Amino acid sequence: MPNYAKQERELLTPDQLALAEESRQPRLGKLSATRLRQLIAAIEKARLTASDEVAETGASPASLLRAAGRRAEAERRKRGAAAAAPVAAPAPRSAKTSKARPVNGRTPAKPRKTDQRTEPHRIPRPASKPASSPGHAPETTTKADTGTDAMQTTEAEKQARQAARKAEKEAAKEAEKNIAREARRAERQAQKQAEKDAAREERRAARKAANQAEKDAAKAARKAENKAARKAERKSNSAEELAAEARELAAAAEAKAPEALAAAAAVLGGDADKPRKKKKKKDA
C-alpha cells in the first residue's frame, strides 16, 4: 500500500505540502466552513500549476494535490456546505498591447476563455487523422466514436478515483487500527505497572508491619522480664529481712530465758510456803 504522506513530503513543495497536510484529519475536521472553502480553492489553484510528471513511486504532485482536493471536497459535502468557486487556470503572461480598436465598425472577437471544469469532466480531443494510403478509403472519426472514447476515459478516471479513495480509506483504517492497538498496548502496560507498584507497596507494608510487631514483642518481653526480676528481688529482700528479725527475736528470747526461769522458780517456791486462801462466796 503506498505511503501517501511520504510521497507528499518527497514530491510537493513546502506550500503544497502544507495544503496537503491541512486536508487530512484531524486538522480538516477542525476547519471552519469559510476556511474549508479557502482550502479547496487553494488546493485547486496549486494543482493547476503543479507538475504532472510521474515519479518512480507512480505518483505526481498534481495527483497528490488532486487527492487532497478530494478529501477536502468530501469534508465539504459531509457538512453540506456550498461549493467553492472554481479556479481558472493561470493564463500565460504576454507583453502589454494597446487596446484593440474596431476595424471597419466591427467589434473585435473576445479571447477564448479557459475551461473552468475539473479534469474528470473534460473530454479529450480526438486523435489526429492518420494519413490515408493509396487504395484505401480515409478513416473518419464519428461523433459516436468520440463519445465512446470520452466515456471510456471518464470510466477509467472514475475507477482510478474509486481505487484512490479505497486505498485512502484502507490506509486510514489501518492507521486507526494501529492507533487503537498502540492505545490498548499502552493501557495494558500501564495496568501491569500499576499492579506491580501495588504489589510492591503491599510487600513493603507487610515487611514494615512484621518488623514493627517483632520490635513490639521484643520490647514487651524485655519489659516483662525486668518486672519479674524486680519482683523477685523485692521478695528476696523481704525474706532476708524476716529471717534476720526472727533470728533477733530468738536471740532475745534466749537471753531472757534464764531470768524467766529464775522468776518462775521464785514464784513457784513462794507459793508453796504460803497457805492457800479460800475464796469467799459472794452473796447472791
Side-chain angles (χ1 to χ4, degrees):
M1 182 179 296
N3 190 341
Y4 295 103
K6 182 178 179 181
Q7 292 177 357
E8 290 172 357
R9 288 193 298 270
E10 293 176 351
L11 299 178
L12 299 182
T13 64
D15 295 338
Q16 295 171 349
L17 180 61
L19 296 174
E21 290 178 348
E22 194 173 2
S23 67
R24 293 184 181 278
Q25 298 292 350
R27 293 179 60 184
L28 182 61
K30 297 179 180 178
L31 297 179
S32 62
T34 303
R35 177 55 189 160
L36 181 58
R37 288 194 295 270
Q38 293 175 355
L39 176 63
I40 294 173
I43 292 174
E44 183 64 18
K45 184 177 179 180
R47 185 189 63 79
L48 293 174
T49 58
S51 173
D52 290 329
E53 184 179 355
V54 179
E56 295 179 357
T57 56
S60 64
S63 64
L64 295 175
L65 289 173
R66 190 180 302 113
R70 286 198 298 268
R71 290 195 296 270
E73 282 290 343
E75 179 67 19
R76 182 194 62 76
R77 289 193 298 270
K78 179 181 177 182
R79 298 185 184 183
V87 179
R93 296 181 180 181
S94 59
K96 294 183 179 179
T97 57
S98 60
K99 188 175 180 180
R101 296 179 180 179
V103 180
N104 299 327
R106 297 180 180 179
T107 304
K110 295 181 179 179
R112 182 179 180 182
K113 295 183 179 180
T114 307
D115 189 359
Q116 296 181 351
R117 294 175 296 176
T118 56
E119 281 189 356
H121 300 285
R122 294 181 182 176
I123 299 176
R125 296 179 180 179
S128 58
K129 298 179 181 180
S132 58
S133 59
H136 292 80
E139 295 180 358
T140 58
T141 305
T142 61
K143 293 183 179 180
D145 295 338
T146 305
T148 303
D149 294 340
M151 290 178 62
Q152 291 178 354
T153 305
T154 305
E155 185 66 23
E157 292 180 353
K158 183 178 179 181
Q159 292 178 359
R161 290 196 304 272
Q162 290 177 353
R165 286 196 298 269
K166 185 177 180 181
E168 185 177 355
K169 289 181 180 179
E170 290 178 355
K173 288 181 180 180
E174 187 65 23
E176 291 177 358
K177 288 181 180 179
N178 293 334
I179 293 173
R181 189 183 303 112
E182 292 297 331
R184 290 194 299 270
R185 184 180 301 171
E187 184 178 359
R188 288 195 300 269
Q189 290 179 353
Q191 185 176 1
K192 288 181 180 179
Q193 187 64 32
E195 291 176 356
K196 288 182 180 179
D197 294 341
R200 188 184 302 110
E201 291 297 331
E202 185 177 357
R203 291 193 298 271
R204 184 180 301 172
R207 288 195 300 270
K208 187 175 180 180
N211 293 335
Q212 188 63 34
E214 186 178 356
K215 289 181 181 179
D216 294 342
K219 185 177 179 181
R222 289 194 301 270
K223 187 175 180 180
E225 185 178 358
N226 294 335
K227 185 176 180 180
R230 287 194 300 271
K231 188 173 180 181
E233 186 178 359
R234 285 197 301 271
K235 288 183 178 180
S236 176
N237 294 335
S238 299
E240 290 179 358
E241 290 176 358
L242 292 175
E245 187 177 355
R247 286 193 298 271
E248 289 178 0
L249 292 175
E254 186 178 358
K256 291 181 180 181
E259 297 178 1
L261 291 174
V267 171
L268 291 175
D271 290 342
D273 295 338
K274 291 181 181 181
R276 295 181 179 178
K277 294 181 181 181
K278 295 182 179 179
K279 292 182 180 180
K280 294 180 180 180
K281 296 181 180 180
K282 294 182 179 180
D283 297 333

